Amino acid sequence: MGFRCGTHRRACGLAPAGEGDETGSPALEGGVVHAIKLIDTLFDRPIITIGQVAEELRISRQAATNLVGKFEKIGIVEEITGKERYKQYMFVDYVRIIEEGTRI
């Protein structure tokens, strides 16, 4: 299993049971689909803000905050600014792999 697939699986674990299929149900829209879209976005932009998540996924800032909070709780992203406002989040495992690959 590749790194991207493993990360998708971790993110999909955020959604309630029964939301992992492609039935097009309204419940799926707010769960697994957004989690997968966020993972894909993080591969392109490993450091991101809540505003960028909301814009990329076309969801409300509150929904973006909730999703990023879940990702932070399970260790996919980490808040890196230490600020109360204007926080930035880093895709931890991805950045670590890049760092390891560039060590001399």
Side-chain angles (χ1 to χ4, degrees), residues 19-36:
E19 287 190 0
D21 60 6
E22 292 296 327
T23 61
S25 69
L28 179 65
E29 294 239 348
V32 174
V33 171
H34 287 148
I36 290 172

Side-chain angles (χ1 to χ4, degrees), residues 7-8 10-12 14 39 42 70-78 90-94:
T7 305
H8 276 144
R10 281 175 58 201
C12 290
L14 296 173
I39 289 295
L42 288 169
K70 290 175 184 177
F71 272 44
E72 186 175 23
K73 184 177 180 179
I74 64 171
I76 294 174
V77 299
E78 181 179 294
M90 178 179 70
F91 186 11
V92 180
D93 292 338
Y94 184 74

Side-chain angles (χ1 to χ4, degrees), residues 16-96:
E19 287 190 0
D21 60 6
E22 292 296 327
T23 61
S25 69
L28 179 65
E29 294 239 348
V32 174
V33 171
H34 287 148
I36 290 172
K37 285 181 181 179
L38 179 52
I39 289 295
D40 289 340
T41 298
L42 288 169
F43 276 100
D44 292 331
R45 182 184 287 172
I47 296 177
I48 199 162
T49 66
I50 296 293
Q52 291 167 330
V53 170
E55 184 178 322
E56 289 285 329
L57 275 57
R58 295 185 175 144
I59 58 177
S60 69
R61 283 187 68 86
Q62 186 59 52
T65 299
N66 292 342
L67 184 58
V68 170
K70 290 175 184 177
F71 272 44
E72 186 175 23
K73 184 177 180 179
I74 64 171
I76 294 174
V77 299
E78 181 179 294
E79 200 283 319
I80 59 173
T81 63
K83 299 178 181 178
E84 286 297 313
R85 299 181 67 183
Y86 309 110
K87 294 179 179 183
Q88 292 185 336
Y89 297 86
M90 178 179 70
F91 186 11
V92 180
D93 292 338
Y94 184 74
V95 172
R96 285 191 186 134

